Amino acid sequence: MEDNKIIGVLSFQGSVEEHLAALEELPGVTGVPVKTREVLKQVDGLILPGGESTTIGKLLGIFGLLEPLRQRILQGMPVWGTCAGMILLAKDVVGEAPHLGVMDISVRRNAYGTQLDSFQATAPVSEISDAPIPLVFIRAPWVERAWGSAKPLLTLDGHIVAVRQDNMLATSFHPELTGDRSVYRYFRNMIG
Ligand code: GLN
């Protein structure tokens, strides 16, 4: 039997409960909310949820987690940013200051504009699953540019919306809002 792994969900704001509920469906995983440095030390991997990246970024600073989290990521802790979480990971945010600044990507916030604020799609992501996966975008960012060892996993209509760089995964979309758990299984495998 595989070891149980503790996957944290950064719990300041955004779709925290939805991620925790999804983690409950996964064998070999215990999901925990993370708001403090003490709990951050205990997790084997961390999900940065969707929400408002400016707010979550500020709260990371106020609660003293920005630097400890950056260090854990640089030391190799698997991390997965969804939507706002992708923005938090990026080394470059178009027109704004970066937050954690660890991933070799440039992201554009609210990239789909107001008219297409939110939409759904389905696409095959060969690295993640044999079956096409449902994609839910909510005022989503896209990746304008990926460099270094950041590898695009999915390009939709000419824009990168999923990227992997070593221990880091970022998706513009929200798997926690669908019944599909393939991205969770992929992230669980990143933890080993
Ligand atoms: N628009 C949000 C931001 O820029 C991200 C939206 C989301 O996480 N669903 O932070």
Side-chain angles (χ1 to χ4, degrees):
M1 214 181 105
E2 278 182 303
D3 283 349
N4 189 67
K5 296 291 181 194
I6 301 176
I7 299 184
V9 180
L10 187 69
S11 298
F12 292 134
Q13 193 257 342
S15 55
V16 174
E17 293 306 322
E18 293 85 347
H19 274 300
L20 288 170
L23 290 174
E24 275 185 23
E25 296 173 21
L26 247 64
V29 167
T30 305
V32 295
V34 174
K35 255 190 200 163
T36 64
R37 278 179 283 209
E38 288 64 37
V39 180
L40 176 64
K41 282 184 195 149
Q42 293 161 17
V43 302
D44 300 306
L46 184 71
I47 295 174
L48 309 177
E52 191 58 42
S53 55
T54 315
T55 305
I56 302 173
K58 273 189 193 143
L59 290 168
L60 275 173
I62 290 170
F63 282 77
L65 249 76
L66 191 70
E67 209 39 51
L69 175 53
R70 180 185 287 135
Q71 289 313 320
R72 278 223 64 189
I73 296 170
L74 293 175
Q75 287 158 12
M77 176 184 71
V79 66
W80 169 23
T82 54
C83 204
M86 167 191 265
I87 298 165
L88 294 172
L89 290 171
K91 278 191 182 165
D92 183 71
V93 182
V94 175
E96 294 180 34
H99 299 275
L100 290 161
V102 287
M103 205 169 179
D104 291 342
I105 54 174
S106 173
V107 299
R108 181 176 292 278
R109 292 181 67 194
N110 302 321
Y112 292 93
T114 47
Q115 203 184 349
L116 288 175
D117 258 356
S118 305
F119 64 98
Q120 298 192 28
T122 304
V125 189
S126 57
E127 180 141 348
I128 290 180
S129 168
D130 290 338
I133 63 175
L135 312 166
V136 174
F137 294 84
I138 302 171
R139 295 196 308 118
W142 69 44
V143 176
E144 298 243 325
R145 203 162 64 84
W147 64 92
S149 49
K151 178 180 165 213
L153 299 181
L154 174 62
T155 300
L156 199 68
D157 298 331
H159 302 292
I160 301 166
V161 293
V163 196
R164 165 89 184 260
Q165 180 178 354
D166 307 319
N167 57 316
M168 299 177 271
L169 173 68
T171 58
S172 298
F173 47 87
H174 290 263
E176 78 281 11
L177 300 181
T178 75
D180 182 80
R181 297 293 167 251
S182 51
V183 189
Y184 289 88
R185 285 192 292 273
Y186 179 78
F187 183 58
R188 170 66 180 79
N189 287 337
M190 281 172 61
I191 298 173

